[in-house]
Amino acid sequence: MTIKTLTTASITALILGSGTAMADTWRYAFEEALDEVQGVYAQKFKEEVEANSDHEVQLFPFGTLGESDNIMEQAQSGILQFVNQSPGFTGALIPEAQVFFVPYLLPEDQDQLVSFFRNSETITDIFPELYAQQGLELLKMYPEGEVMLTTKAPVETPEDLSNVKVRVMTNPLLVESYRAFGATPTPLAWGEVYGGLQTGIIDGQENPAFFIESTRMYEVTDHITRLGHNNFTTALMANQEFFEGLDEADQQVIQAAADAAFDHIIEYQQGLTETALETIMEAKPGMTMTTLTEEQRAPFRETAADVEATFLEIGGPRAQEVLDQMKADLEAAAS
């Protein structure tokens, strides 16, 4: 399935047709369905805003207004007030955000991971300045779950990925990461992934378990591999001109809603991965799932230094500062 790029006129018509076009109606688009993690976060944000103000929040799930690049353009132009998007796509605008694709940088331990996202100076101090340069107000970053690889053939070593075409987001560092793993990284719009796996355009893809289950990626792949290399990160942003034009009370309502939605989504994710994997195995008993041992992960981990060096080359003027501060934040989260 391919999502057609929508014109500004057609998007405006769709928005105006979906609700009363009032100054207190705020529009919020995201990359997933309503019942997936970004959608659950968005619904909590909407609930909090509407409970604590007279404003309405209209939600636009994936595909409603186009692909990820479409909704970012709409947020930057002010058609949307809010957009939720992964650094996987935002990295094209903000190269420093690609740091989230250095493999084995984020911890697997959930408590450490949540502590990092709550307290990271990289997220609270550095990234807001970088996002602001692109007309975006960074409201919250949060994790979505352990990233897993689904393929048509089993994967236990980097050699197993030789000539395997793995779909990646259009992010240079993610491309480099999978190239370092031994695969053939293949950027592809999300709307084309299922069909691409069916037809052999690609041989695999990566995502958290809940997304593999909800989008039925297991139907067109046969093996799930837990490399332990990353956790999917996403971010809620506002159009900066819109946000700065609000009075202080409304800004506080928005930030409080983003914070409440963060707490909610962290709690929501407890047990989500295990439940999704159980559902996948029930739906397709022949599916195999492999969690690589530390010994098996070692050759994959060894690629991290090269990917990190690439990040410092292509990650923008503040790449070194971001990487150093992020490592300090992660060390603090582990203590």
Side-chain angles (χ1 to χ4, degrees):
M1 177 179 67
T2 303
I3 304 297
K4 292 182 64 177
T5 300
L6 302 178
T7 65
T8 299
S10 62
I11 290 165
T12 303
L14 175 59
I15 289 172
L16 293 178
S18 64
T20 306
M22 297 171 60
D24 62 354
T25 299
W26 298 339
R27 297 171 290 276
Y28 178 148
F30 47 99
E31 301 171 307
E32 297 170 8
L34 271 173
D35 59 352
E36 294 167 344
V37 169
Q38 288 186 24
V40 173
Y41 182 98
Q43 289 181 79
K44 182 62 175 177
F45 178 88
K46 169 184 171 71
E47 175 188 314
E48 292 291 323
V49 167
E50 294 180 353
N52 293 287
S53 73
D54 293 330
H55 303 298
E56 175 191 356
V57 178
Q58 293 181 339
L59 301 180
F60 296 89
F62 173 77
T64 312
L65 301 178
E67 290 270 4
S68 292
D69 55 347
N70 302 128
I71 61 174
M72 175 55 74
E73 291 170 3
Q74 293 157 33
Q76 287 182 294
S77 68
I79 294 173
L80 295 170
Q81 282 71 52
F82 301 100
V83 64
N84 196 314
Q85 188 174 89
S86 159
F89 292 105
T90 316
L93 294 172
I94 305 161
E96 288 87 350
Q98 296 178 89
V99 71
F100 289 100
F101 294 97
V102 175
Y104 298 101
L105 184 60
L106 293 178
E108 286 189 84
D109 182 88
Q110 186 68 11
D111 290 340
Q112 291 180 22
L113 186 72
V114 172
S115 176
F116 165 74
F117 277 96
R118 284 191 191 280
N119 304 307
S120 168
E121 291 185 27
T122 314
I123 292 174
T124 58
D125 295 343
I126 300 176
F127 276 127
E129 296 175 1
L130 294 170
Y131 278 66
Q133 292 171 10
Q134 301 298 327
L136 300 165
E137 183 78 21
L138 179 61
L139 298 173
K140 188 65 64 177
M141 282 186 164
Y142 60 94
E144 288 201 50
E146 174 193 348
V147 173
M148 301 178 191
L149 179 65
T150 68
T151 51
K152 296 181 178 181
V155 174
E156 294 184 358
T157 68
E159 289 72 26
D160 292 333
L161 284 173
S162 179
N163 297 319
V164 174
K165 299 185 292 291
V166 177
R167 180 266 176 180
V168 294
M169 291 178 282
T170 52
N171 181 289
L173 203 71
L174 185 57
V175 168
E176 178 58 31
S177 179
Y178 268 96
R179 184 175 290 122
F181 281 172
T184 301
T186 307
L188 194 65
W190 179 250
E192 300 174 22
V193 174
Y194 191 99
L197 287 165
Q198 281 182 312
T199 59
I201 293 174
I202 52 175
D203 307 307
Q205 63 87 45
E206 66 158 31
N207 263 301
F210 81 87
F211 203 65
I212 295 169
E213 184 270 318
S214 63
T215 58
R216 299 181 179 273
M217 287 296 117
Y218 59 85
E219 294 179 344
V220 285
T221 50
D222 299 305
H223 304 273
I224 297 176
T225 306
R226 302 176 77 166
L227 299 168
H229 65 299
N230 213 342
N231 197 292
F232 196 91
T233 296
T234 193
L236 172 64
M237 297 152 273
N239 174 281
Q240 190 178 43
E241 184 176 354
F242 153 75
F243 187 81
E244 291 182 345
L246 298 173
D247 60 32
E248 185 177 352
D250 279 342
Q251 290 181 355
Q252 289 177 351
V253 165
I254 288 169
Q255 191 59 65
D259 293 342
F262 178 91
D263 292 340
H264 178 70
I265 207 61
I266 295 302
E267 182 179 353
Y268 173 80
Q269 288 183 63
Q270 293 180 10
L272 183 63
T273 292
E274 291 70 23
T275 299
L277 290 174
E278 289 173 5
T279 301
I280 290 170
M281 298 309 292
E282 288 174 4
K284 188 174 181 178
M287 194 88 179
T288 68
M289 184 179 67
T290 304
T291 300
L292 298 191
T293 65
E294 284 305 308
E295 183 178 359
Q296 289 173 313
R297 289 178 182 182
F300 290 100
R301 284 185 185 276
E302 289 171 3
T303 68
D306 289 339
V307 179
E308 186 176 297
T310 301
F311 170 69
L312 294 177
E313 293 174 4
I314 68 172
R318 298 180 70 177
Q320 187 72 63
E321 178 189 3
V322 165
L323 184 62
D324 290 346
Q325 185 58 58
M326 191 161 172
K327 288 183 175 179
D329 295 341
L330 289 164
E331 185 176 345
S335 62

